[in-house]
Amino acid sequence: PLWSSDGVPTSVASSVTRILADAGLRGLSATDYDAAMLARPIRPTAPGLSDGDTTTAVWDVAMTADVLRFAHALRFGRVHVESVYPSLHLPRDTVDLAAFVQVLLEHAKAFPRNMSGSEALDTWVSAQFDTLEPPWAHYWLVRDALQQYQDYALGNEPLPSDLTPALVKDRIKRIDLALERWRWLPQTFTTAPIFINIPAFRLYAFGSPVDDGVSTLVNMDVAVGNAFRTRTPVFSALMRTVIFSPYWDVPRSITVKEVLPKARRDLGYLVRSHMEVVSVSDGRILPLSRSVLARVSEGTARIRQRPGADNALGGVKFVFPNDYNVYLHDTPTQSVFQLARRDVSHGCIRVAEPARLAAFVLRNEPEWPPARIEAAMHDGHPQQVTLTTPIPVFVVYTTVIARAGGETLFYDDIYGHDRALTARLAAGYPY
């Protein structure tokens, strides 16, 4: 046996069972790891079994399996991310979990010589499991928030006046979901990424591939797709180009549902909106007429809006090719950022500080200082800049964010993704 001696759990095994029993402190469920069964005394014999070592063997193998299961959940989450979001392609780290178990076992042999007392050993074992969890500062802030709310639930701390026991219970569940989503992330990126958190209406640009500290983040408000009609998808892609003073190629759905009906009633609508009709086959600008609108309906022509002050994409567009034709862009309607709830777009993501984001994205392109960026945004002539190093963009979804000052922010589950993940996890292991 690896975890017992003469039918008695080793000190490390006892410590591990206590850690598994406290899985809830990490946003996991102790029942997934047989914590109650492992804590019971090992029976040297079992009714109906002739070999007295079998029960010990079953317990020992269960210990190894549960430690591996717990370690895997801490490192990668309980649910595989692409089974929830098929288009969210997150780099997956490799880790030798068998070697991790071996570290615990080797320490078990050394324990009598270098440790004394279960509390000290529990601290050491807990720290080993900590090394599997995400290194991101904001993950650990969320874990701290979980401890805070669990203290409220257990009565270890007085309940604030703005909370009820039911609300505390609900928030603990939401924090558990946030921790699950954090565990889906790799522990390092090859290039500093950009994240857009849909329910928070917020963009976070990392300044380092290994650090999400406040000092290295650029963050700003965004507006996302409408919850009822045009939701922004959860996905990932590589930002490859920045286009200043872009044309707006009106999506087919908007063309058919919104632009064409107005143009049929009044051709002058397109002129006043600085829109033009372009041949799909050769890119020629076509003179406005009823027959040209018929070509748009047939799909042999398309509508685009010229660069300018009223262009729907504003002064800059950030392109990361994807199956959804979603991108980041400026907007002439800055008033949208005064709204608390900003699910107002057709699916693309509007940014509140486009010039600042452009300066950040092009910070390693010396020929693009902030002054030139500002000029290009208002030039009226499209300019495309290809990034020397493409930037990973992750459009994600979490309804809980914790700040370094101790504040925990909870956002509405505007697309119902929390409900869907809760139902998935309610199925229990193996999910």
PDB file of all heavy atoms in Angstrom, residues 42-58:
ATOM      1  N   ILE A  42      -9.903   2.102   8.039  1.00  0.00           N
ATOM      2  CA  ILE A  42      -9.705   1.014   7.084  1.00  0.00           C
ATOM      3  C   ILE A  42     -10.045  -0.301   7.772  1.00  0.00           C
ATOM      4  O   ILE A  42      -9.550  -0.588   8.859  1.00  0.00           O
ATOM      5  CB  ILE A  42      -8.239   0.976   6.595  1.00  0.00           C
ATOM      6  CG1 ILE A  42      -7.847   2.322   5.988  1.00  0.00           C
ATOM      7  CG2 ILE A  42      -8.037  -0.137   5.582  1.00  0.00           C
ATOM      8  CD1 ILE A  42      -6.367   2.420   5.661  1.00  0.00           C
ATOM      9  N   ARG A  43     -10.920  -1.092   7.126  1.00  0.00           N
ATOM     10  CA  ARG A  43     -11.270  -2.397   7.702  1.00  0.00           C
ATOM     11  C   ARG A  43     -10.270  -3.454   7.240  1.00  0.00           C
ATOM     12  O   ARG A  43     -10.039  -3.616   6.034  1.00  0.00           O
ATOM     13  CB  ARG A  43     -12.680  -2.802   7.259  1.00  0.00           C
ATOM     14  CG  ARG A  43     -13.782  -1.938   7.863  1.00  0.00           C
ATOM     15  CD  ARG A  43     -15.142  -2.358   7.352  1.00  0.00           C
ATOM     16  NE  ARG A  43     -15.250  -2.127   5.915  1.00  0.00           N
ATOM     17  CZ  ARG A  43     -16.207  -2.644   5.154  1.00  0.00           C
ATOM     18  NH1 ARG A  43     -17.119  -3.436   5.694  1.00  0.00           N
ATOM     19  NH2 ARG A  43     -16.255  -2.386   3.865  1.00  0.00           N
ATOM     20  N   PRO A  44      -9.688  -4.170   8.175  1.00  0.00           N
ATOM     21  CA  PRO A  44      -8.711  -5.188   7.770  1.00  0.00           C
ATOM     22  C   PRO A  44      -9.362  -6.359   7.042  1.00  0.00           C
ATOM     23  O   PRO A  44      -8.713  -7.057   6.272  1.00  0.00           O
ATOM     24  CB  PRO A  44      -8.090  -5.642   9.091  1.00  0.00           C
ATOM     25  CG  PRO A  44      -9.136  -5.335  10.105  1.00  0.00           C
ATOM     26  CD  PRO A  44      -9.822  -4.091   9.633  1.00  0.00           C
ATOM     27  N   THR A  45     -10.657  -6.584   7.286  1.00  0.00           N
ATOM     28  CA  THR A  45     -11.356  -7.667   6.594  1.00  0.00           C
ATOM     29  C   THR A  45     -12.697  -7.134   6.134  1.00  0.00           C
ATOM     30  O   THR A  45     -13.172  -6.096   6.585  1.00  0.00           O
ATOM     31  CB  THR A  45     -11.600  -8.873   7.515  1.00  0.00           C
ATOM     32  OG1 THR A  45     -12.394  -8.438   8.631  1.00  0.00           O
ATOM     33  CG2 THR A  45     -10.287  -9.450   8.014  1.00  0.00           C
ATOM     34  N   ALA A  46     -13.314  -7.880   5.233  1.00  0.00           N
ATOM     35  CA  ALA A  46     -14.619  -7.487   4.726  1.00  0.00           C
ATOM     36  C   ALA A  46     -15.471  -8.730   4.563  1.00  0.00           C
ATOM     37  O   ALA A  46     -14.969  -9.774   4.143  1.00  0.00           O
ATOM     38  CB  ALA A  46     -14.482  -6.776   3.385  1.00  0.00           C
ATOM     39  N   PRO A  47     -16.752  -8.680   4.909  1.00  0.00           N
ATOM     40  CA  PRO A  47     -17.626  -9.848   4.771  1.00  0.00           C
ATOM     41  C   PRO A  47     -17.640 -10.365   3.336  1.00  0.00           C
ATOM     42  O   PRO A  47     -17.737  -9.599   2.385  1.00  0.00           O
ATOM     43  CB  PRO A  47     -19.009  -9.294   5.165  1.00  0.00           C
ATOM     44  CG  PRO A  47     -18.716  -8.093   6.002  1.00  0.00           C
ATOM     45  CD  PRO A  47     -17.458  -7.519   5.453  1.00  0.00           C
ATOM     46  N   GLY A  48     -17.478 -11.669   3.223  1.00  0.00           N
ATOM     47  CA  GLY A  48     -17.537 -12.275   1.908  1.00  0.00           C
ATOM     48  C   GLY A  48     -16.238 -12.237   1.139  1.00  0.00           C
ATOM     49  O   GLY A  48     -16.163 -12.746   0.025  1.00  0.00           O
ATOM     50  N   LEU A  49     -15.201 -11.634   1.714  1.00  0.00           N
ATOM     51  CA  LEU A  49     -13.928 -11.564   1.024  1.00  0.00           C
ATOM     52  C   LEU A  49     -12.916 -12.431   1.772  1.00  0.00           C
ATOM     53  O   LEU A  49     -12.745 -12.293   2.974  1.00  0.00           O
ATOM     54  CB  LEU A  49     -13.427 -10.123   0.950  1.00  0.00           C
ATOM     55  CG  LEU A  49     -14.327  -9.145   0.176  1.00  0.00           C
ATOM     56  CD1 LEU A  49     -13.770  -7.732   0.278  1.00  0.00           C
ATOM     57  CD2 LEU A  49     -14.437  -9.560  -1.283  1.00  0.00           C
ATOM     58  N   SER A  50     -12.292 -13.321   1.037  1.00  0.00           N
ATOM     59  CA  SER A  50     -11.341 -14.224   1.688  1.00  0.00           C
ATOM     60  C   SER A  50      -9.997 -13.571   1.912  1.00  0.00           C
ATOM     61  O   SER A  50      -9.269 -13.932   2.830  1.00  0.00           O
ATOM     62  CB  SER A  50     -11.160 -15.494   0.830  1.00  0.00           C
ATOM     63  OG  SER A  50     -10.719 -15.144  -0.477  1.00  0.00           O
ATOM     64  N   ASP A  51      -9.663 -12.607   1.066  1.00  0.00           N
ATOM     65  CA  ASP A  51      -8.362 -11.958   1.190  1.00  0.00           C
ATOM     66  C   ASP A  51      -8.517 -10.703   2.051  1.00  0.00           C
ATOM     67  O   ASP A  51      -9.130  -9.726   1.655  1.00  0.00           O
ATOM     68  CB  ASP A  51      -7.831 -11.591  -0.196  1.00  0.00           C
ATOM     69  CG  ASP A  51      -6.429 -10.989  -0.120  1.00  0.00           C
ATOM     70  OD1 ASP A  51      -5.918 -10.759   0.996  1.00  0.00           O
ATOM     71  OD2 ASP A  51      -5.853 -10.756  -1.192  1.00  0.00           O
ATOM     72  N   GLY A  52      -7.957 -10.724   3.226  1.00  0.00           N
ATOM     73  CA  GLY A  52      -8.107  -9.611   4.154  1.00  0.00           C
ATOM     74  C   GLY A  52      -7.481  -8.322   3.673  1.00  0.00           C
ATOM     75  O   GLY A  52      -7.807  -7.244   4.164  1.00  0.00           O
ATOM     76  N   ASP A  53      -6.567  -8.384   2.694  1.00  0.00           N
ATOM     77  CA  ASP A  53      -5.916  -7.175   2.205  1.00  0.00           C
ATOM     78  C   ASP A  53      -6.741  -6.435   1.159  1.00  0.00           C
ATOM     79  O   ASP A  53      -6.423  -5.325   0.796  1.00  0.00           O
ATOM     80  CB  ASP A  53      -4.559  -7.527   1.575  1.00  0.00           C
ATOM     81  CG  ASP A  53      -3.543  -7.934   2.632  1.00  0.00           C
ATOM     82  OD1 ASP A  53      -3.712  -7.499   3.777  1.00  0.00           O
ATOM     83  OD2 ASP A  53      -2.622  -8.673   2.295  1.00  0.00           O
ATOM     84  N   THR A  54      -7.824  -7.039   0.658  1.00  0.00           N
ATOM     85  CA  THR A  54      -8.571  -6.428  -0.434  1.00  0.00           C
ATOM     86  C   THR A  54      -9.142  -5.075  -0.037  1.00  0.00           C
ATOM     87  O   THR A  54      -9.053  -4.103  -0.777  1.00  0.00           O
ATOM     88  CB  THR A  54      -9.699  -7.362  -0.904  1.00  0.00           C
ATOM     89  OG1 THR A  54      -9.134  -8.609  -1.315  1.00  0.00           O
ATOM     90  CG2 THR A  54     -10.441  -6.730  -2.072  1.00  0.00           C
ATOM     91  N   THR A  55      -9.751  -4.993   1.145  1.00  0.00           N
ATOM     92  CA  THR A  55     -10.332  -3.727   1.566  1.00  0.00           C
ATOM     93  C   THR A  55      -9.265  -2.645   1.672  1.00  0.00           C
ATOM     94  O   THR A  55      -9.467  -1.509   1.248  1.00  0.00           O
ATOM     95  CB  THR A  55     -11.057  -3.879   2.911  1.00  0.00           C
ATOM     96  OG1 THR A  55     -12.071  -4.852   2.760  1.00  0.00           O
ATOM     97  CG2 THR A  55     -11.677  -2.573   3.347  1.00  0.00           C
ATOM     98  N   THR A  56      -8.124  -2.992   2.218  1.00  0.00           N
ATOM     99  CA  THR A  56      -7.015  -2.048   2.285  1.00  0.00           C
ATOM    100  C   THR A  56      -6.590  -1.616   0.886  1.00  0.00           C
ATOM    101  O   THR A  56      -6.328  -0.441   0.636  1.00  0.00           O
ATOM    102  CB  THR A  56      -5.819  -2.680   3.021  1.00  0.00           C
ATOM    103  OG1 THR A  56      -6.222  -3.053   4.326  1.00  0.00           O
ATOM    104  CG2 THR A  56      -4.653  -1.710   3.083  1.00  0.00           C
ATOM    105  N   ALA A  57      -6.564  -2.576  -0.028  1.00  0.00           N
ATOM    106  CA  ALA A  57      -6.155  -2.266  -1.397  1.00  0.00           C
ATOM    107  C   ALA A  57      -7.145  -1.327  -2.074  1.00  0.00           C
ATOM    108  O   ALA A  57      -6.751  -0.374  -2.758  1.00  0.00           O
ATOM    109  CB  ALA A  57      -6.009  -3.548  -2.210  1.00  0.00           C
ATOM    110  N   VAL A  58      -8.448  -1.595  -1.888  1.00  0.00           N
ATOM    111  CA  VAL A  58      -9.464  -0.730  -2.488  1.00  0.00           C
ATOM    112  C   VAL A  58      -9.326   0.695  -1.947  1.00  0.00           C
ATOM    113  O   VAL A  58      -9.370   1.676  -2.698  1.00  0.00           O
ATOM    114  CB  VAL A  58     -10.879  -1.283  -2.211  1.00  0.00           C
ATOM    115  CG1 VAL A  58     -11.949  -0.258  -2.567  1.00  0.00           C
ATOM    116  CG2 VAL A  58     -11.088  -2.564  -2.999  1.00  0.00           C
TER     117      VAL A  58
END
